[in-house]
Short mmCIF file of all heavy atoms in Angstrom, two decimals:
data_model
loop_
_atom_site.label_atom_id
_atom_site.label_comp_id
_atom_site.label_asym_id
_atom_site.label_seq_id
_atom_site.Cartn_x
_atom_site.Cartn_y
_atom_site.Cartn_z
N MET G 196 133.21 93.18 114.96
CA MET G 196 132.25 94.09 115.48
C MET G 196 130.89 93.37 115.62
O MET G 196 130.44 92.73 114.70
CB MET G 196 132.05 95.22 114.40
CG MET G 196 131.12 96.32 114.89
SD MET G 196 131.30 97.81 113.89
CE MET G 196 129.78 97.75 113.00
N ASN G 197 130.18 93.67 116.68
CA ASN G 197 128.88 93.01 116.97
C ASN G 197 127.85 93.80 116.26
O ASN G 197 127.62 94.94 116.51
CB ASN G 197 128.67 92.98 118.48
CG ASN G 197 127.39 92.28 118.84
OD1 ASN G 197 126.59 91.83 117.91
ND2 ASN G 197 127.06 92.20 120.16
N THR G 198 127.06 93.17 115.45
CA THR G 198 126.01 93.85 114.58
C THR G 198 124.65 93.45 115.08
O THR G 198 123.64 93.77 114.42
CB THR G 198 126.15 93.54 113.15
OG1 THR G 198 126.10 92.12 112.96
CG2 THR G 198 127.50 94.09 112.51
N ASP G 199 124.54 92.74 116.20
CA ASP G 199 123.26 92.35 116.75
C ASP G 199 122.53 93.64 117.25
O ASP G 199 123.12 94.53 117.82
CB ASP G 199 123.40 91.39 117.90
CG ASP G 199 123.89 90.01 117.36
OD1 ASP G 199 123.71 89.72 116.22
OD2 ASP G 199 124.43 89.29 118.23
N ILE G 200 121.22 93.68 117.06
CA ILE G 200 120.41 94.73 117.55
C ILE G 200 120.03 94.36 118.97
O ILE G 200 119.36 93.43 119.19
CB ILE G 200 119.13 94.95 116.67
CG1 ILE G 200 119.57 95.19 115.21
CG2 ILE G 200 118.34 96.17 117.20
CD1 ILE G 200 118.39 95.03 114.30
N PRO G 201 120.36 95.24 120.00
CA PRO G 201 119.98 94.83 121.31
C PRO G 201 118.53 94.98 121.59
O PRO G 201 117.78 95.89 121.04
CB PRO G 201 120.68 95.89 122.20
CG PRO G 201 120.99 97.14 121.26
CD PRO G 201 121.10 96.43 119.90
N LYS G 202 117.85 94.06 122.38
CA LYS G 202 116.52 94.15 122.73
C LYS G 202 116.45 95.11 123.94
O LYS G 202 116.98 94.83 124.97
CB LYS G 202 116.00 92.76 123.10
CG LYS G 202 114.51 92.71 123.51
CD LYS G 202 114.06 91.32 123.64
CE LYS G 202 112.61 91.27 124.24
NZ LYS G 202 111.59 92.05 123.54
N ILE G 203 115.80 96.18 123.72
CA ILE G 203 115.61 97.17 124.81
C ILE G 203 114.10 97.33 125.20
O ILE G 203 113.84 98.12 126.14
CB ILE G 203 116.18 98.51 124.36
CG1 ILE G 203 115.50 99.12 123.10
CG2 ILE G 203 117.74 98.44 124.24
CD1 ILE G 203 115.94 100.54 122.77
N SER G 204 113.17 96.72 124.54
CA SER G 204 111.77 96.90 124.87
C SER G 204 111.04 95.69 124.31
O SER G 204 111.54 94.85 123.58
CB SER G 204 111.18 98.15 124.36
OG SER G 204 110.91 98.07 122.90
N ASP G 205 109.75 95.53 124.62
CA ASP G 205 108.90 94.57 124.14
C ASP G 205 108.34 94.83 122.68
O ASP G 205 107.76 94.04 122.05
CB ASP G 205 107.72 94.26 125.03
CG ASP G 205 108.17 93.50 126.26
OD1 ASP G 205 109.22 92.78 126.23
OD2 ASP G 205 107.55 93.65 127.32
N PHE G 206 108.65 96.07 122.19
CA PHE G 206 108.24 96.46 120.86
C PHE G 206 109.01 95.69 119.87
O PHE G 206 110.27 95.53 120.09
CB PHE G 206 108.31 97.96 120.67
CG PHE G 206 107.38 98.71 121.40
CD1 PHE G 206 107.73 99.69 122.33
CD2 PHE G 206 105.95 98.62 121.15
CE1 PHE G 206 106.84 100.41 123.04
CE2 PHE G 206 105.06 99.45 121.86
CZ PHE G 206 105.49 100.33 122.76
N PRO G 207 108.53 95.30 118.70
CA PRO G 207 109.40 94.61 117.72
C PRO G 207 110.35 95.63 117.08
O PRO G 207 110.08 96.82 117.00
CB PRO G 207 108.36 94.12 116.67
CG PRO G 207 107.15 95.05 116.86
CD PRO G 207 107.12 95.40 118.29
N VAL G 208 111.51 95.12 116.61
CA VAL G 208 112.52 95.96 115.94
C VAL G 208 112.12 96.22 114.50
O VAL G 208 112.33 97.29 113.99
CB VAL G 208 113.87 95.39 116.14
CG1 VAL G 208 114.93 96.19 115.30
CG2 VAL G 208 114.29 95.33 117.55
N GLY G 209 111.57 95.23 113.91
CA GLY G 209 111.18 95.38 112.51
C GLY G 209 112.32 95.06 111.51
O GLY G 209 113.28 94.32 111.87
N THR G 210 112.30 95.63 110.37
CA THR G 210 113.22 95.42 109.29
C THR G 210 113.95 96.73 109.09
O THR G 210 113.55 97.78 109.51
CB THR G 210 112.57 95.03 108.01
OG1 THR G 210 111.62 95.99 107.65
CG2 THR G 210 111.84 93.70 108.17
N GLU G 211 115.15 96.53 108.46
CA GLU G 211 116.05 97.72 108.27
C GLU G 211 115.21 98.73 107.40
O GLU G 211 114.52 98.31 106.45
CB GLU G 211 117.29 97.33 107.44
CG GLU G 211 118.29 98.48 107.47
CD GLU G 211 119.68 98.06 106.91
OE1 GLU G 211 119.96 96.85 106.97
OE2 GLU G 211 120.34 98.92 106.39
N ASN G 212 115.27 99.90 107.80
CA ASN G 212 114.50 101.06 107.23
C ASN G 212 115.17 101.59 105.95
O ASN G 212 115.53 102.71 105.86
CB ASN G 212 114.41 102.18 108.34
CG ASN G 212 113.39 103.20 108.03
OD1 ASN G 212 112.66 103.10 106.97
ND2 ASN G 212 113.27 104.20 108.80
N THR G 213 115.28 100.77 105.01
CA THR G 213 115.98 101.05 103.73
C THR G 213 115.24 102.19 102.98
O THR G 213 115.79 103.01 102.20
CB THR G 213 116.23 99.90 102.84
OG1 THR G 213 114.98 99.27 102.57
CG2 THR G 213 117.21 98.94 103.49
N GLY G 214 113.87 102.19 103.06
CA GLY G 214 113.04 103.17 102.33
C GLY G 214 113.37 104.60 102.72
O GLY G 214 113.27 105.57 101.90
N TYR G 215 113.80 104.85 103.92
CA TYR G 215 114.13 106.24 104.32
C TYR G 215 115.66 106.36 104.70
O TYR G 215 116.06 107.36 105.29
CB TYR G 215 113.34 106.60 105.62
CG TYR G 215 111.80 106.69 105.32
CD1 TYR G 215 111.01 105.71 105.47
CD2 TYR G 215 111.36 107.99 104.83
CE1 TYR G 215 109.66 105.83 105.15
CE2 TYR G 215 110.05 108.07 104.53
CZ TYR G 215 109.19 107.00 104.67
OH TYR G 215 107.88 107.14 104.39
N ALA G 216 116.52 105.44 104.30
CA ALA G 216 117.92 105.36 104.63
C ALA G 216 118.61 106.69 104.19
O ALA G 216 119.61 107.16 104.90
CB ALA G 216 118.60 104.18 104.04
N GLN G 217 118.24 107.26 103.12
CA GLN G 217 118.85 108.47 102.64
C GLN G 217 118.73 109.70 103.59
O GLN G 217 119.47 110.58 103.46
CB GLN G 217 118.31 108.86 101.23
CG GLN G 217 116.83 109.27 101.20
CD GLN G 217 116.34 109.58 99.88
OE1 GLN G 217 117.09 109.87 98.93
NE2 GLN G 217 115.03 109.46 99.66
N TYR G 218 117.85 109.59 104.45
CA TYR G 218 117.60 110.67 105.47
C TYR G 218 118.29 110.47 106.79
O TYR G 218 118.18 111.29 107.69
CB TYR G 218 116.06 110.86 105.67
CG TYR G 218 115.33 111.16 104.39
CD1 TYR G 218 114.41 110.05 103.97
CD2 TYR G 218 115.49 112.34 103.69
CE1 TYR G 218 113.73 110.39 102.84
CE2 TYR G 218 114.77 112.53 102.57
CZ TYR G 218 113.92 111.59 102.04
OH TYR G 218 113.23 111.76 100.90
N PHE G 219 118.95 109.34 106.94
CA PHE G 219 119.61 108.95 108.21
C PHE G 219 121.18 108.84 108.02
O PHE G 219 121.66 108.45 107.06
CB PHE G 219 119.09 107.61 108.77
CG PHE G 219 117.75 107.63 109.19
CD1 PHE G 219 116.66 107.52 108.25
CD2 PHE G 219 117.43 107.86 110.50
CE1 PHE G 219 115.36 107.58 108.76
CE2 PHE G 219 116.20 107.89 110.97
CZ PHE G 219 115.08 107.74 110.07
N SER G 220 121.93 109.23 108.99
CA SER G 220 123.35 109.14 109.05
C SER G 220 123.87 107.74 109.43
O SER G 220 125.00 107.48 109.38
CB SER G 220 123.98 110.11 109.95
OG SER G 220 123.65 109.85 111.37
N GLY G 221 122.94 106.91 109.87
CA GLY G 221 123.27 105.58 110.30
C GLY G 221 122.02 104.67 109.97
O GLY G 221 121.09 105.01 109.32
N LYS G 222 122.13 103.44 110.48
CA LYS G 222 121.04 102.53 110.22
C LYS G 222 119.87 102.75 111.19
O LYS G 222 120.05 103.06 112.39
CB LYS G 222 121.48 101.06 110.40
CG LYS G 222 122.35 100.65 109.23
CD LYS G 222 122.72 99.13 109.34
CE LYS G 222 123.62 98.71 108.26
NZ LYS G 222 123.96 97.30 108.36
N SER G 223 118.69 102.46 110.72
CA SER G 223 117.45 102.38 111.58
C SER G 223 116.65 101.25 111.09
O SER G 223 116.79 100.77 110.05
CB SER G 223 116.73 103.75 111.47
OG SER G 223 116.06 103.90 110.20
N TRP G 224 115.74 100.83 112.06
CA TRP G 224 114.75 99.71 111.76
C TRP G 224 113.43 100.25 111.97
O TRP G 224 113.18 100.98 112.98
CB TRP G 224 115.20 98.60 112.60
CG TRP G 224 116.55 98.01 112.27
CD1 TRP G 224 116.78 96.93 111.47
CD2 TRP G 224 117.80 98.40 112.70
NE1 TRP G 224 118.08 96.64 111.34
CE2 TRP G 224 118.78 97.58 112.14
CE3 TRP G 224 118.23 99.41 113.54
CZ2 TRP G 224 120.13 97.69 112.35
CZ3 TRP G 224 119.54 99.61 113.80
CH2 TRP G 224 120.52 98.73 113.16
N LEU G 225 112.43 99.78 111.21
CA LEU G 225 111.03 100.19 111.33
C LEU G 225 110.16 99.05 111.51
O LEU G 225 110.19 98.09 110.70
CB LEU G 225 110.75 100.96 110.04
CG LEU G 225 109.32 101.56 109.98
CD1 LEU G 225 109.05 102.61 111.10
CD2 LEU G 225 109.14 102.15 108.60
N ALA G 226 109.16 99.19 112.48
CA ALA G 226 108.24 98.14 112.70
C ALA G 226 106.92 98.74 112.89
O ALA G 226 106.63 99.39 113.92
CB ALA G 226 108.64 97.30 113.97
N PRO G 227 105.98 98.63 111.91
CA PRO G 227 104.72 99.16 112.06
C PRO G 227 103.96 98.43 113.23
O PRO G 227 104.09 97.24 113.40
CB PRO G 227 104.01 98.81 110.69
CG PRO G 227 105.15 98.66 109.77
CD PRO G 227 106.16 98.14 110.59
N LEU G 228 103.26 99.20 114.10
CA LEU G 228 102.64 98.56 115.22
C LEU G 228 101.12 98.38 114.99
O LEU G 228 100.49 97.59 115.72
CB LEU G 228 102.78 99.41 116.45
CG LEU G 228 104.29 99.59 116.89
CD1 LEU G 228 104.36 100.50 118.05
CD2 LEU G 228 104.89 98.20 117.21
N THR G 229 100.60 99.03 114.03
CA THR G 229 99.19 98.72 113.62
C THR G 229 98.95 99.08 112.20
O THR G 229 99.65 99.89 111.62
CB THR G 229 98.24 99.65 114.50
OG1 THR G 229 96.82 99.29 114.15
CG2 THR G 229 98.36 101.07 114.26
N GLY G 230 97.99 98.41 111.59
CA GLY G 230 97.60 98.73 110.27
C GLY G 230 96.22 99.36 110.16
O GLY G 230 95.64 99.39 109.14
N ASN G 231 95.78 99.87 111.28
CA ASN G 231 94.40 100.46 111.44
C ASN G 231 94.41 101.80 110.78
O ASN G 231 94.93 102.79 111.34
CB ASN G 231 94.00 100.49 112.85
CG ASN G 231 92.61 100.98 113.02
OD1 ASN G 231 91.99 101.57 112.15
ND2 ASN G 231 92.04 100.73 114.21
N SER G 232 93.87 101.94 109.57
CA SER G 232 93.81 103.24 108.92
C SER G 232 92.89 104.23 109.50
O SER G 232 92.88 105.39 109.24
CB SER G 232 93.47 103.01 107.41
OG SER G 232 92.26 102.51 107.23
N ASP G 233 91.93 103.73 110.31
CA ASP G 233 91.02 104.72 111.02
C ASP G 233 91.72 105.61 112.02
O ASP G 233 91.15 106.66 112.39
CB ASP G 233 89.94 103.85 111.80
CG ASP G 233 88.99 103.09 110.84
OD1 ASP G 233 88.85 103.52 109.72
OD2 ASP G 233 88.39 102.11 111.30
N LEU G 234 92.94 105.27 112.42
CA LEU G 234 93.63 106.07 113.37
C LEU G 234 94.11 107.38 112.69
O LEU G 234 94.43 108.40 113.39
CB LEU G 234 94.83 105.35 113.94
CG LEU G 234 94.59 104.17 114.76
CD1 LEU G 234 95.85 103.43 115.15
CD2 LEU G 234 93.84 104.55 116.06
N LYS G 235 94.27 107.34 111.36
CA LYS G 235 94.71 108.57 110.60
C LYS G 235 96.11 109.01 110.96
O LYS G 235 96.45 110.13 110.71
CB LYS G 235 93.70 109.73 110.74
CG LYS G 235 92.28 109.42 110.52
CD LYS G 235 92.10 109.50 109.02
CE LYS G 235 90.52 109.40 108.83
NZ LYS G 235 90.13 108.22 108.06
N VAL G 236 96.90 108.14 111.61
CA VAL G 236 98.25 108.52 111.97
C VAL G 236 99.06 107.14 112.03
O VAL G 236 98.54 106.19 112.57
CB VAL G 236 98.40 109.33 113.28
CG1 VAL G 236 97.85 108.49 114.45
CG2 VAL G 236 99.78 109.80 113.51
N PRO G 237 100.24 107.13 111.41
CA PRO G 237 100.98 105.93 111.55
C PRO G 237 101.52 105.69 112.93
O PRO G 237 101.80 106.63 113.62
CB PRO G 237 102.24 106.17 110.58
CG PRO G 237 102.24 107.57 110.19
CD PRO G 237 100.88 108.15 110.61
N LEU G 238 101.60 104.41 113.31
CA LEU G 238 101.96 104.10 114.57
C LEU G 238 103.13 102.96 114.45
O LEU G 238 102.81 101.88 113.98
CB LEU G 238 100.87 103.49 115.43
CG LEU G 238 101.15 103.13 116.86
CD1 LEU G 238 101.72 104.23 117.74
CD2 LEU G 238 99.89 102.50 117.51
N SER G 239 104.32 103.38 114.74
CA SER G 239 105.47 102.52 114.42
C SER G 239 106.54 102.58 115.49
O SER G 239 106.57 103.58 116.26
CB SER G 239 106.14 102.86 113.13
OG SER G 239 105.24 102.79 111.99
N ASN G 240 107.30 101.53 115.64
CA ASN G 240 108.49 101.53 116.47
C ASN G 240 109.69 101.77 115.49
O ASN G 240 109.90 101.06 114.55
CB ASN G 240 108.69 100.25 117.22
CG ASN G 240 109.88 100.35 118.14
OD1 ASN G 240 110.04 101.19 118.91
ND2 ASN G 240 110.74 99.32 118.06
N VAL G 241 110.55 102.72 115.87
CA VAL G 241 111.72 103.06 115.09
C VAL G 241 112.84 102.74 116.03
O VAL G 241 112.97 103.36 117.16
CB VAL G 241 111.80 104.41 114.49
CG1 VAL G 241 113.10 104.64 113.71
CG2 VAL G 241 110.61 104.77 113.75
N THR G 242 113.89 101.95 115.62
CA THR G 242 115.09 101.69 116.44
C THR G 242 116.28 102.25 115.67
O THR G 242 116.38 102.09 114.44
CB THR G 242 115.31 100.15 116.68
OG1 THR G 242 114.09 99.60 117.28
CG2 THR G 242 116.48 99.86 117.47
N PHE G 243 117.17 103.02 116.30
CA PHE G 243 118.33 103.57 115.75
C PHE G 243 119.51 103.06 116.30
O PHE G 243 119.68 102.65 117.52
CB PHE G 243 118.37 105.14 116.08
CG PHE G 243 117.10 105.88 115.75
CD1 PHE G 243 116.07 106.08 116.63
CD2 PHE G 243 116.98 106.41 114.46
CE1 PHE G 243 115.00 106.74 116.37
CE2 PHE G 243 115.78 107.05 114.12
CZ PHE G 243 114.82 107.32 115.00
N GLU G 244 120.56 102.80 115.38
CA GLU G 244 121.84 102.42 115.92
C GLU G 244 122.55 103.53 116.60
O GLU G 244 122.24 104.63 116.36
CB GLU G 244 122.74 101.75 114.71
CG GLU G 244 123.33 102.82 113.86
CD GLU G 244 124.29 102.32 112.81
OE1 GLU G 244 124.63 101.06 112.94
OE2 GLU G 244 124.54 102.95 111.82
N PRO G 245 123.43 103.21 117.49
CA PRO G 245 124.06 104.30 118.28
C PRO G 245 124.72 105.39 117.30
O PRO G 245 125.35 105.03 116.33
CB PRO G 245 125.17 103.58 119.06
CG PRO G 245 124.64 102.24 119.23
CD PRO G 245 123.88 101.91 117.96
N GLY G 246 124.47 106.60 117.62
CA GLY G 246 125.04 107.70 116.82
C GLY G 246 124.19 108.03 115.62
O GLY G 246 124.58 108.96 114.92
N CYS G 247 123.14 107.34 115.32
CA CYS G 247 122.39 107.64 114.11
C CYS G 247 121.68 108.94 114.24
O CYS G 247 121.06 109.21 115.35
CB CYS G 247 121.36 106.41 113.86
SG CYS G 247 120.34 106.67 112.41
N ARG G 248 121.60 109.69 113.20
CA ARG G 248 120.94 110.98 113.19
C ARG G 248 120.04 110.96 111.91
O ARG G 248 120.34 110.32 110.93
CB ARG G 248 121.82 112.13 113.17
CG ARG G 248 122.67 112.30 114.44
CD ARG G 248 123.49 113.45 114.37
NE ARG G 248 124.24 113.72 115.65
CZ ARG G 248 124.58 114.82 116.17
NH1 ARG G 248 124.19 115.91 115.53
NH2 ARG G 248 125.21 114.82 117.22
N ASN G 249 118.93 111.75 112.02
CA ASN G 249 118.18 111.90 110.80
C ASN G 249 117.95 113.39 110.43
O ASN G 249 118.17 114.29 111.32
CB ASN G 249 116.81 111.24 110.81
CG ASN G 249 115.89 111.73 111.86
OD1 ASN G 249 116.30 112.31 112.89
ND2 ASN G 249 114.65 111.52 111.64
N ASN G 250 117.66 113.76 109.18
CA ASN G 250 117.50 115.12 108.79
C ASN G 250 116.30 115.73 109.42
O ASN G 250 115.38 115.09 109.71
CB ASN G 250 117.35 115.14 107.22
CG ASN G 250 118.49 114.62 106.49
OD1 ASN G 250 119.64 114.53 107.01
ND2 ASN G 250 118.39 114.27 105.22
N TRP G 251 116.39 117.06 109.53
CA TRP G 251 115.30 117.84 110.03
C TRP G 251 114.05 117.62 109.09
O TRP G 251 114.10 117.58 107.88
CB TRP G 251 115.66 119.32 110.01
CG TRP G 251 114.54 120.22 110.39
CD1 TRP G 251 113.74 120.96 109.52
CD2 TRP G 251 113.96 120.34 111.64
NE1 TRP G 251 112.78 121.56 110.22
CE2 TRP G 251 112.78 121.27 111.50
CE3 TRP G 251 114.16 119.91 112.93
CZ2 TRP G 251 112.01 121.61 112.52
CZ3 TRP G 251 113.35 120.30 113.95
CH2 TRP G 251 112.31 121.13 113.73
N HIS G 252 112.97 117.37 109.81
CA HIS G 252 111.72 117.20 109.03
C HIS G 252 110.56 117.51 109.94
O HIS G 252 110.72 117.68 111.19
CB HIS G 252 111.59 115.74 108.49
CG HIS G 252 111.54 114.72 109.51
ND1 HIS G 252 112.62 114.29 110.19
CD2 HIS G 252 110.47 114.00 110.04
CE1 HIS G 252 112.27 113.33 111.09
NE2 HIS G 252 110.99 113.19 110.97
N SER G 253 109.35 117.52 109.37
CA SER G 253 108.19 117.76 110.18
C SER G 253 107.07 116.72 109.87
O SER G 253 107.18 116.07 108.84
CB SER G 253 107.65 119.19 110.05
OG SER G 253 107.22 119.32 108.65
N HIS G 254 106.12 116.59 110.74
CA HIS G 254 105.04 115.64 110.54
C HIS G 254 103.69 116.48 110.56
O HIS G 254 103.42 117.10 111.60
CB HIS G 254 105.00 114.60 111.58
CG HIS G 254 106.14 113.68 111.58
ND1 HIS G 254 106.04 112.42 111.08
CD2 HIS G 254 107.41 113.92 112.02
CE1 HIS G 254 107.23 111.82 111.15
NE2 HIS G 254 108.09 112.65 111.71
N THR G 255 103.07 116.48 109.43
CA THR G 255 101.87 117.46 109.30
C THR G 255 100.79 117.15 110.34
O THR G 255 100.16 118.06 110.80
CB THR G 255 101.25 117.40 107.91
OG1 THR G 255 100.94 115.95 107.60
CG2 THR G 255 102.29 117.90 106.84
N GLY G 256 100.67 115.93 110.69
CA GLY G 256 99.63 115.55 111.76
C GLY G 256 100.18 115.52 113.14
O GLY G 256 99.49 115.21 114.14
N GLY G 257 101.43 115.95 113.24
CA GLY G 257 102.12 115.93 114.63
C GLY G 257 102.78 114.52 114.79
O GLY G 257 102.73 113.67 113.90
N GLN G 258 103.40 114.41 115.91
CA GLN G 258 104.19 113.22 116.18
C GLN G 258 104.38 113.03 117.74
O GLN G 258 104.49 114.05 118.44
CB GLN G 258 105.62 113.29 115.60
CG GLN G 258 106.42 111.98 115.75
CD GLN G 258 107.82 112.13 115.12
OE1 GLN G 258 108.45 113.16 115.18
NE2 GLN G 258 108.25 111.02 114.61
N ILE G 259 104.15 111.88 118.20
CA ILE G 259 104.46 111.53 119.55
C ILE G 259 105.68 110.64 119.63
O ILE G 259 105.75 109.65 118.95
CB ILE G 259 103.19 110.74 120.20
CG1 ILE G 259 102.00 111.67 120.14
CG2 ILE G 259 103.48 110.30 121.56
CD1 ILE G 259 100.76 110.96 120.50
N LEU G 260 106.65 111.05 120.41
CA LEU G 260 107.84 110.21 120.62
C LEU G 260 107.92 109.67 122.01
O LEU G 260 107.70 110.39 122.98
CB LEU G 260 109.09 111.16 120.34
CG LEU G 260 109.21 111.85 119.06
CD1 LEU G 260 110.34 112.86 119.06
CD2 LEU G 260 109.37 110.83 117.90
N ILE G 261 108.13 108.35 122.01
CA ILE G 261 108.24 107.65 123.31
C ILE G 261 109.63 106.97 123.32
O ILE G 261 109.83 106.01 122.56
CB ILE G 261 107.14 106.69 123.57
CG1 ILE G 261 105.76 107.35 123.47
CG2 ILE G 261 107.30 105.95 124.83
CD1 ILE G 261 104.61 106.45 123.49
N ALA G 262 110.57 107.47 124.10
CA ALA G 262 111.88 106.86 124.24
C ALA G 262 111.84 105.70 125.26
O ALA G 262 111.35 105.94 126.35
CB ALA G 262 112.92 107.89 124.56
N VAL G 263 112.28 104.53 124.79
CA VAL G 263 112.20 103.43 125.71
C VAL G 263 113.64 102.94 126.12
O VAL G 263 113.83 102.11 126.96
CB VAL G 263 111.43 102.21 125.08
CG1 VAL G 263 110.02 102.57 124.91
CG2 VAL G 263 112.06 101.73 123.83
N GLY G 264 114.57 103.56 125.50
CA GLY G 264 116.00 103.31 125.86
C GLY G 264 116.90 104.26 125.14
O GLY G 264 116.64 104.83 124.21
N GLY G 265 118.11 104.43 125.86
CA GLY G 265 119.08 105.39 125.28
C GLY G 265 118.75 106.78 125.46
O GLY G 265 117.91 107.19 126.34
N VAL G 266 119.37 107.69 124.66
CA VAL G 266 119.12 109.13 124.76
C VAL G 266 118.77 109.59 123.36
O VAL G 266 119.36 109.22 122.34
CB VAL G 266 120.40 109.80 125.18
CG1 VAL G 266 120.33 111.31 125.23
CG2 VAL G 266 120.87 109.32 126.65
N GLY G 267 117.78 110.50 123.35
CA GLY G 267 117.36 111.06 122.04
C GLY G 267 117.16 112.48 122.19
O GLY G 267 116.72 113.02 123.33
N TYR G 268 117.40 113.35 121.14
CA TYR G 268 117.21 114.72 121.21
C TYR G 268 116.21 115.11 120.07
O TYR G 268 116.21 114.51 118.98
CB TYR G 268 118.56 115.48 120.90
CG TYR G 268 119.56 115.20 121.94
CD1 TYR G 268 120.54 114.16 121.80
CD2 TYR G 268 119.60 115.86 123.16
CE1 TYR G 268 121.49 113.90 122.79
CE2 TYR G 268 120.46 115.58 124.16
CZ TYR G 268 121.50 114.61 123.89
OH TYR G 268 122.39 114.37 124.92
N TYR G 269 115.48 116.14 120.33
CA TYR G 269 114.51 116.64 119.28
C TYR G 269 114.56 118.15 119.38
O TYR G 269 114.94 118.75 120.40
CB TYR G 269 113.14 116.01 119.44
CG TYR G 269 112.38 116.63 120.57
CD1 TYR G 269 111.48 117.65 120.35
CD2 TYR G 269 112.56 116.11 121.82
CE1 TYR G 269 110.72 118.22 121.40
CE2 TYR G 269 111.88 116.71 122.96
CZ TYR G 269 110.96 117.69 122.71
OH TYR G 269 110.26 118.24 123.74
N GLN G 270 114.02 118.77 118.35
CA GLN G 270 113.84 120.24 118.35
C GLN G 270 112.48 120.58 117.94
O GLN G 270 111.94 120.10 117.00
CB GLN G 270 114.83 120.88 117.44
CG GLN G 270 114.66 122.39 117.36
CD GLN G 270 115.64 123.08 116.35
OE1 GLN G 270 116.59 122.45 115.92
NE2 GLN G 270 115.50 124.32 116.05
N GLU G 271 111.81 121.47 118.74
CA GLU G 271 110.54 121.93 118.37
C GLU G 271 110.71 123.10 117.40
O GLU G 271 111.73 123.78 117.51
CB GLU G 271 109.72 122.34 119.57
CG GLU G 271 109.40 121.23 120.49
CD GLU G 271 108.53 121.63 121.66
OE1 GLU G 271 107.72 122.61 121.53
OE2 GLU G 271 108.60 120.97 122.69
N LYS G 272 109.69 123.35 116.60
CA LYS G 272 109.77 124.51 115.66
C LYS G 272 109.98 125.82 116.46
O LYS G 272 109.26 126.05 117.51
CB LYS G 272 108.50 124.58 114.85
CG LYS G 272 108.50 125.58 113.78
CD LYS G 272 107.27 125.58 112.97
CE LYS G 272 107.18 126.62 111.91
NZ LYS G 272 106.04 126.61 111.08
N GLY G 273 110.91 126.59 115.97
CA GLY G 273 111.16 127.88 116.67
C GLY G 273 112.16 127.73 117.74
O GLY G 273 112.57 128.61 118.38
#
């Protein structure tokens, strides 16, 4: 089985997201894109292995999702 992570964008893939692994049905990788705390919002690239899902959750400050490859689904409140 090929376990290489495909390069689908110029964003870094980062390291395996073990800190949040309990919330995912598969593997994910997390790469912080900035350490600028003045932004008041984390800015990261998250890469998911095919078929990976995560638990329902919310982000108090909101969230912007930019899909650069594959297919992703999300649900808005309500």
